[in-house]
């Protein structure tokens, strides 16, 4: 029988090398735990690993349909000698985008598809720019067309708005100022417009094929970018061709002010380009922020990440179902994983789910009674060489598992011989449990966890200022104070509830004119659910 190929990190089945470059490899892989394809980006340990860690951290904070989701960062436990990668090399796992590069096909004259590409890419850029970042390498190979959307990938060169003299990007698509190391969001707009020139015309705007890729060819390319007339795409409707020409203006001040400004222009052009365009380029309600940048969430995430680094047996997170408790826990785990990678330490796998799902993943055997099974589950969690995330919710077994009720031998907070006899300096792997707030209220008097082995964190709620900040991000304006107070009351200050209530305003002509107090309580409860 053929020998089974071992899984990468005991979780990913490597399928093929999807890309390779100076900084490492990208593998197409299958996540056997999640049952989904993944992109694994790996770089050799050393000077370039900081780029990968930065890219992971940036993507983990951003949310947009045209940006890939990221799931895990770590260091390789085993070498991949066939690919020149040794144990300890950092990697991260991201959403696999099964698509072609934007310039992979000959343009067929479909202006509607071109409009959609610009709309999707500008939406992603607006999200990146709002986080204070510049992508720095908007080029055809970093725009993937897949399943009716365009996804902007590879934030490896992304940086804060910079003027440090370091050129970044793919030369044929770099803005003039980028060659001097000066970057701002309008540099990305230039790269996007240059990519459209490549798609429509079949070649980069100032391509010099006869001179090759050596120093002479690069010098001639830069000279043309700095001095040659900006290409005009006469194959396109005049308004769209004019927009793209302005996006490629040599002077950044002559370009559209922002990606949001481009989205506004695309909406104005839509009826002229084609009546069949049925969506707005710029949505009325923006994407909600990632958990790490919800108002008030960042210091909470820092505190939970610190608890994960300490020798706690359990980190208990308490919050209502719409508090975003699980998303916040995931952000804290990502922060801790990244810190371990940066420090050169081995990262732990994550086992997450309901109590029964976690027990199944940890191979907890059947038992003669429910209490005996619970003791076995607690013992497996305490001894797991993994970070265990248990979403307890309304599980009636929560009290016994956490030691609030009798028969504390089932509690995951109980010290076991293995945890008290660890060698000095050896980490005590924590378990993270999330639970709704009433569970603590139902606990017997004096039994709320206060032992040194437990760190308790209550998920943060929003105040009026937090509601105002969230509304400004999602609705693009300054909400009245009374409107914020009404939304605060309707959402109970729970971030996910507030986000869903604001999303319900997508078709409202005047979102800030809504009187929350006049909405029926039944309707608000339904929206929150």
């Amino acid at each position: 029988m053929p020998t089974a190929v071992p899984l990468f990190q005991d979780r990913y089945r490597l399928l093929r090398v999807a890309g390779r470059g100076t900084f490492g490899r990208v593998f197409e892989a299958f996540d056997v735990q999640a049952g989904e394809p993944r992109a694994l980006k790996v770089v050799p340990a050393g000077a370039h690993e900081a780029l990968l860690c930065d890219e992971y951290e940036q993507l983990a904070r951003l949310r947009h349909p045209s940006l890939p989701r990221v799931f895990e960062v770590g260091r390789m436990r085993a070498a991949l000698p066939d690919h020149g990668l040794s144990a300890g090399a950092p990697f991260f796992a991201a959403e696999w985008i099964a698509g072609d590069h934007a310039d992979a096909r000959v343009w067929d004259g479909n202006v509607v598809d071109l409009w959609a590409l610009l709309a999707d890419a500008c939406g992603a850029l607006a999200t990146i720019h709002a986080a204070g970042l510049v992508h720095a390498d908007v080029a055809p190979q970093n725009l993937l067309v897949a399943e009716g959307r365009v996804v902007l990938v590879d934030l490896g060169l992304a940086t804060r708005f910079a003027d440090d003299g370091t050129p970044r990007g793919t030369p044929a698509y770099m803005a003039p100022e980028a060659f001097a190391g000066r970057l701002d969001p309008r540099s990305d707009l230039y790269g996007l417009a240059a990519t459209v020139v490549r798609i429509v015309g079949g070649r980069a705007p100032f391509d010099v094929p006869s001179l090759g890729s050596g120093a002479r060819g690069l010098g001639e390319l830069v000279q043309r970018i700095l001095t040659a007339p900006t290409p005009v795409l006469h194959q396109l409707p005049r308004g769209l061709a004019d927009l793209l020409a302005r996006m490629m203006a040599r002077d950044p001040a002559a370009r559209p002010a922002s990606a949001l400004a481009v989205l506004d222009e695309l909406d104005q052009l839509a009826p002229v380009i084609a009546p069949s365009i049925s969506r707005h380029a710029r949505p009325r309600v923006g994407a909600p922020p990632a958990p790490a940048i919800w108002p008030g969430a960042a210091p909470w995430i820092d505190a939970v990440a610190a608890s994960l680094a300490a020798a706690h047996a359990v980190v208990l997170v308490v919050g209502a179902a719409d508090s975003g408790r699980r998303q916040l826990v995931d952000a804290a785990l990502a922060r801790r994983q990244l810190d371990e990678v940066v420090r050169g330490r081995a990262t732990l796998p994550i086992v997450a789910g309901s109590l029964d799902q976690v027990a199944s993943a940890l191979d907890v055997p059947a038992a003669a009674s429910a209490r005996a099974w619970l003791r076995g589950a607690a013992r497996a969690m305490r001894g797991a060489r993994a970070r265990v995330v248990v979403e307890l919710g309304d599980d009636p077994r929560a009290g016994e598992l956490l030691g609030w009720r009798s028969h504390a031998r089932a509690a995951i907070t109980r010290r076991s011989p293995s945890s008290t006899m660890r060698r000095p300096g050896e980490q005590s792997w924590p378990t993270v449990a999330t639970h709704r707030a009433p569970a603590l209220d139902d606990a017997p008097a004096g039994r709320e966890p206060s032992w040194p082995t437990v760190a308790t964190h209550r998920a943060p709620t929003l105040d009026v200022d937090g509601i105002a900040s969230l509304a400004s991000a999602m609705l693009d304006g300054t909400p009245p104070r009374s409107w914020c107070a009404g939304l605060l009351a309707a959402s109970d200050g729970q971030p996910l509830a507030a986000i869903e209530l604001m999303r319900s305003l997508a078709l409202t002509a005047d979102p800030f004119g809504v009187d929350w107090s006049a909405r029926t309580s039944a309707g608000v409860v339904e929206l929150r659910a």
Side-chain angles (χ1 to χ4, degrees):
M1 292 181 64
T3 304
V5 177
L7 298 177
F8 178 87
Q9 301 293 108
D10 299 322
R11 177 169 181 171
Y12 303 101
R13 182 177 296 114
L14 299 184
L15 303 178
R16 66 183 179 95
V17 177
R20 63 180 74 229
T22 305
F23 299 147
R25 303 283 185 273
V26 177
F27 296 92
E28 180 183 359
F30 186 78
D31 183 345
V32 297
Q33 187 177 114
E36 296 178 349
R38 295 282 184 260
L40 290 178
K41 190 164 189 175
V42 190
V43 303
H48 299 311
E49 66 181 59
L51 283 174
L52 181 135
C53 293
D54 286 347
E55 182 178 0
Y56 169 83
E57 186 173 29
Q58 289 156 6
L59 276 172
R61 292 189 294 111
L62 304 175
R63 296 289 188 277
H64 191 274
S66 289
L67 290 171
R69 293 170 295 148
V70 295
F71 302 97
E72 180 185 6
V73 64
R75 287 187 179 272
M76 291 169 47
R77 293 194 287 272
L80 292 174
D82 292 346
H83 302 284
L85 297 167
S86 58
F91 75 92
F92 74 74
E95 177 185 10
W96 173 256
I97 310 297
D100 297 323
H101 293 163
D103 61 345
R105 301 173 186 171
V106 176
W107 186 57
D108 61 2
N110 190 324
V111 182
V112 175
D113 285 351
L114 207 62
W115 183 95
L117 180 147
L118 283 164
D120 288 345
C122 279
L125 288 175
T127 302
I128 293 170
H129 298 162
L133 298 170
V134 177
H135 185 282
D137 195 15
V138 180
Q141 73 273 14
N142 290 330
L143 283 167
L144 300 182
V145 182
E147 298 178 351
R149 62 171 174 153
V150 173
V151 182
L152 180 62
V153 299
D154 200 353
L155 270 71
L157 297 181
T159 183
R160 296 283 169 187
F161 303 170
D163 186 4
D164 61 3
T166 304
R168 297 176 176 86
T170 303
Y173 302 92
M174 287 168 61
E177 68 275 9
F179 288 98
R182 294 195 302 271
L183 291 173
D184 74 13
R186 292 168 295 184
S187 307
D188 286 340
L189 299 183
Y190 181 102
L192 178 57
T195 296
V196 174
V197 172
R198 167 70 177 86
I199 293 169
V200 174
R203 60 193 297 178
F206 303 104
D207 194 15
V208 195
S210 61
L211 295 178
S213 58
R216 184 182 174 205
L218 180 59
E220 177 67 17
L221 172 64
V222 174
Q223 182 65 20
R224 290 191 180 193
I225 289 173
L226 294 176
T227 61
T230 300
V232 177
L233 298 175
H234 297 291
Q235 308 95 312
L236 301 180
R238 182 173 179 178
L240 185 58
D242 174 68
L243 170 61
L244 290 164
R246 284 184 287 113
M247 289 169 67
M248 283 193 66
R250 190 167 292 111
D251 180 1
R255 299 172 202 156
S258 66
L260 290 176
V262 175
L263 288 171
D264 286 337
E265 289 201 45
L266 289 172
D267 273 341
Q268 294 169 12
L269 289 170
V272 177
I273 290 174
S276 60
I277 295 177
S278 59
R279 69 182 176 97
H280 291 288
R282 183 176 179 180
R284 184 180 295 277
V285 179
I293 54 174
W294 287 346
W300 186 94
I301 290 170
D302 290 339
V304 173
S307 293
L308 289 168
H312 293 295
V314 175
V315 178
L316 178 65
V317 175
V318 182
D322 46 8
S323 66
R325 64 195 180 198
R326 179 58 192 277
Q327 292 90 332
L328 292 165
V329 166
D330 288 344
L333 284 166
R335 178 79 53 82
R336 180 59 192 153
Q337 275 191 323
L338 184 62
D339 183 62
E340 289 170 339
V341 170
V342 170
R343 293 171 182 268
R345 297 174 180 170
T347 53
L348 293 168
I350 295 174
V351 177
S354 66
L355 177 55
D356 294 293
Q357 289 170 332
V358 167
S360 176
L362 296 178
D363 296 323
V364 176
S369 67
R371 184 163 296 142
W373 180 88
L374 200 58
R375 283 200 299 270
R379 187 164 52 249
M381 291 181 212
R382 290 196 301 263
R385 304 302 265 183
R387 297 203 186 279
V388 182
V389 184
V390 188
E391 176 62 71
L392 289 171
D394 297 320
D395 196 313
R397 299 166 291 182
E400 189 169 340
L401 184 70
L402 293 168
W404 294 332
R405 297 176 186 160
S406 58
H407 308 290
R409 284 184 298 172
I412 53 176
T413 53
R414 177 175 174 264
R415 286 286 194 184
S416 66
S418 62
S419 66
T420 57
M421 295 174 63
R422 286 195 172 104
R423 296 186 300 275
E426 186 175 355
Q427 186 173 356
S428 176
W429 311 125
T431 297
V432 180
T434 61
H435 203 283
R436 66 185 184 91
L440 283 183
D441 300 331
D442 296 341
R447 293 297 298 279
E448 179 171 335
S450 58
W451 313 289
T453 56
V454 177
T456 304
H457 300 269
R458 289 183 179 270
T461 56
L462 299 170
D463 57 14
V464 171
D465 290 334
I467 290 285
S469 177
L470 201 57
S472 296
M474 293 184 66
L475 300 174
D476 194 23
T478 304
R481 196 78 173 172
S482 58
W483 184 94
C484 294
L487 179 52
L488 178 67
S491 65
D492 288 339
Q494 304 297 339
L496 295 190
I499 286 169
E500 290 310 313
L501 289 169
M502 279 187 274
R503 277 178 167 163
S504 73
L505 304 179
L507 301 178
T508 303
D510 180 17
F512 295 141
V514 169
D515 181 0
W516 292 108
S517 64
R519 292 204 164 192
T520 66
S521 59
V524 170
V525 168
E526 182 179 341
L527 283 170
R528 287 187 59 183

